[in-house]
Amino acid sequence: MLDRYLDFTQSSFGKQVASALGLPTPPRLERAEVGYATMPLAGKKALVAADASATATGAVLAALQQLGATVQVVPGHAGFAAVKAAALNTAVELHSEGGETEVIAPVIVFDATGVAGTKGLKQVYELFQSRLRRLAPNTRVVVLARAAADANSVEAATAAIGLTGFVRSLAKEIGKNGSTANLLQVSKAGDAWLAGPLAFFTGPNSAYVTGQVLAVGDAPKGAVAPAHFNQSLAGKVAVVTGAARGIGAAIAQILAREGATVVGMDRPAEEGALGATMAPINGVGLALDVTAPDAGERLASELKTRFGGADIVVHNAGVTRDKMLRNMTPQLWDMVLDINLGAILNINERLMQSGLKPGARFVCISSIGGIGGNAGQTNYAATKAGVIGYAEAMAPILAKKGMAINAVAPGFIETQMTAMMPAVNREVGRRVNSLAQGGVPQDIAEAVTFFASPLANGVNGRTLRVCGQNWLGA
Ligand code: NAP
């Protein structure tokens, strides 16, 4: 569905009207038009700063070097010595930031892994405060912190959590020009796996992800770091359920863009639409209801015979059947529970017996409705919160087998599902976030593809909200 208001406010007349009436003027978001480049930040500047006791700066610089960025620094900043020392070890060339008139680099990475107490937090203030007025549209800010549980003092644990509030508020402030701010909570073991998350969070692939905290840790057994970032799914086979249209169709397209062969599944009634989605990406359509008693069996045997198994399984099929609980029939309850949650558990159980290749990755689609809850969605929210719990519980089990599982929680996304909402609810739904607009299916597909790829080797059992920092549960 088109966001006509966004288009209107992009014109100078529209901008004037919106500003006179005190209405939001949503920024135009830069999204990826092609797949990841071999070095996604080649030709781009990245401003790197750190707190004076930061411990991940070497890993950050090495990752940015792998991504091809030109690293800028601020020699007058309190943590400069830490950056300089890390650069000596990694042989990364540092360039001083330009003068007050220069636009700030489009990527800013602050290593705050050593921040402790209020003095430590002041270093973060000092770096950002003086630069926000000169921030270019669609700037990407990434702050790194250690998890509070890894902190070696009360001051460090306090500051680590303090940073989550800082980043969430910064995201709300800079969203007006399409810029994003996210926090990577990286453990020591996660330092080695930073390049992939940095590729995602500093690029156009995360245009609708802001104000989020994502933990990066050790990779599952046997995981290998990607040598380059383009076509990271070449040779992989990916299953996507509910692939005929909407978010599922976009997931199939973006997985294929990064090189995967896609097996798209949808209900037999959608066979025509499924075929139309699969044809341009040379995918395989499988007309199969995810709740069919033999769904797992048929999928496993199809995967075994045609491809020897799947590398990626994306559980996207989902429905809403909203009713206040007091009016909800058992049929509506069961239908939503069976499709959105029961089918995931059943299909995965069967696939884990046979039907997967080594190092498989699972991605499940949750919803911010499962985090914040909505009146009239007890059935839906139970399934979408259940998906988050499932990913958390399965992660350690899968890691031992060299596999991983994560979830993506979409906010308001422009699809047939949201086009059916009453007009006023729809308009409110798409504006109540830091970017003042709804996401598009590609936004969810980019996050799913990140989790499905080796770029997310260090992320397991997590849920990432792709919601423009929706004010509901953000
Ligand atoms: P959609 O446009 O309704 O597409 C869902 C697809 O799943 C449809 O092709 C649907 O087929 C298929 N499907 C439904 N039941 C199925 C079954 N039993 N077996 C196989 N396929 C089945 O929905 P969407 O907006 O793309 O949503 C995709 C996922 O994102 C869902 O899990 C949804 O809960 C989640 N989500 C969406 C939003 C949003 O704003 N759109 C927000 C949060 C979460 P039929 O048309 O035949 O039913």
Side-chain angles (χ1 to χ4, degrees):
M1 175 132 198
L2 290 176
D3 186 345
R4 292 189 196 287
Y5 177 77
L6 188 152
D7 291 335
F8 173 66
T9 54
Q10 290 295 312
S11 68
S12 63
F13 174 66
K15 248 189 203 102
Q16 277 172 23
V17 173
S19 130
L21 297 174
L23 295 170
T25 45
R28 182 76 71 194
L29 302 186
E30 269 170 27
R31 294 186 165 91
E33 286 170 12
V34 291
Y36 284 87
T38 320
M39 296 171 107
L41 292 181
K44 270 196 170 181
K45 289 174 188 159
L47 180 65
V48 177
D51 73 272
S53 312
T55 52
T57 320
V60 169
L61 290 176
L64 289 173
Q65 189 175 43
Q66 209 190 334
L67 294 169
T70 301
V71 175
Q72 277 196 335
V73 289
V74 185
H77 184 259
F80 178 62
V83 182
K84 211 167 134 189
L88 277 178
N89 288 335
T90 48
V92 172
E93 204 182 325
L94 304 181
H95 303 262
S96 287
E97 195 191 29
E100 298 257 308
T101 51
E102 193 181 286
V103 174
I104 305 296
V107 170
I108 305 177
V109 182
F110 194 111
D111 176 8
T113 50
V115 160
T118 47
K119 281 215 176 76
L121 285 168
K122 184 76 183 281
Q123 299 172 63
V124 185
Y125 161 85
E126 278 164 356
L127 192 279
F128 286 102
Q129 194 279 333
S130 57
R131 286 174 178 76
L132 289 195
R133 284 180 208 278
R134 288 182 287 139
L135 220 55
N138 287 285
T139 296
R140 299 274 175 270
V141 173
V142 180
V143 177
L144 272 81
R146 296 288 182 213
D150 295 340
N152 52 13
S153 69
V154 170
E155 288 74 17
T158 306
I161 299 296
L163 285 167
T164 63
F166 173 83
V167 169
R168 289 189 175 115
S169 297
L170 180 63
K172 288 188 175 170
E173 185 170 339
I174 66 177
K176 287 181 187 68
N177 79 349
S179 297
T180 63
N182 291 289
L183 182 80
L184 294 179
Q185 231 163 32
V186 54
S187 72
K188 285 253 166 63
D191 285 0
W193 303 101
L194 264 179
L198 282 176
F200 177 71
F201 283 102
T202 60
N205 315 79
S206 57
Y208 200 58
V209 185
T210 191
Q212 301 308 311
V213 177
L214 186 70
V216 180
D218 207 357
K221 217 173 73 185
V224 178
H228 52 77
F229 298 87
N230 67 322
Q231 291 291 293
S232 66
L233 300 182
K236 306 268 184 200
V237 175
V239 176
V240 181
T241 68
R245 61 185 166 86
I247 292 170
I251 293 171
Q253 285 150 8
I254 302 295
L255 289 170
R257 185 193 73 189
E258 299 303 327
T261 299
V262 177
V263 177
M265 244 170 98
D266 213 299
R267 295 190 316 120
E270 299 292 333
E271 201 167 1
L274 182 62
T277 306
M278 289 300 123
I281 57 168
N282 292 323
V284 175
L286 183 59
L288 180 57
D289 190 314
V290 293
T291 59
D294 62 346
E297 190 59 44
R298 278 188 54 198
L299 179 61
S301 102
E302 183 82 14
L303 289 169
K304 268 294 210 197
T305 9
R306 289 184 84 137
F307 305 103
D311 302 279
I312 297 158
V313 182
V314 182
H315 290 286
N316 162 76
V319 295
T320 48
R321 289 296 182 273
D322 300 352
K323 273 268 181 255
M324 290 299 175
L325 185 57
R326 55 183 174 267
N327 300 324
M328 191 175 295
T329 62
Q331 288 79 7
L332 291 184
W333 176 268
D334 290 343
M335 182 189 186
V336 171
L337 270 282
D338 290 348
I339 296 174
N340 295 8
L341 190 57
I344 300 179
L345 274 60
N346 291 339
I347 289 176
N348 282 358
E349 198 182 318
R350 176 60 191 84
L351 288 183
M352 272 186 276
Q353 289 164 21
S354 72
L356 297 174
K357 289 196 188 161
R361 298 285 183 265
F362 296 90
V363 189
C364 302
I365 303 298
S366 173
S367 166
I368 59 161
I371 297 166
N374 284 319
Q377 287 202 319
T378 47
N379 51 357
Y380 184 75
T383 64
K384 295 301 185 179
V387 159
I388 295 172
Y390 177 67
E392 278 173 13
M394 284 299 287
I397 300 169
L398 290 175
K400 287 191 196 125
K401 300 176 196 276
M403 302 182 190
I405 181 167
N406 290 288
V408 173
F412 182 100
I413 306 298
E414 306 280 358
T415 65
Q416 207 160 310
M417 197 184 244
T418 46
M420 285 179 335
M421 289 168 75
V424 174
N425 293 13
R426 186 171 62 239
E427 193 48 31
V428 172
R430 51 159 75 114
R431 298 289 162 233
V432 290
N433 59 72
S434 299
L435 300 169
Q437 59 198 287
V440 295
Q442 180 188 350
D443 297 325
I444 307 307
E446 296 281 4
V448 168
T449 302
F450 164 61
F451 281 142
S453 77
L455 274 64
N457 272 342
V459 188
N460 193 8
R462 309 297 170 183
T463 297
L464 181 67
R465 287 173 236 179
V466 180
C467 64
Q469 198 179 25
N470 197 296
W471 299 345
L472 177 84

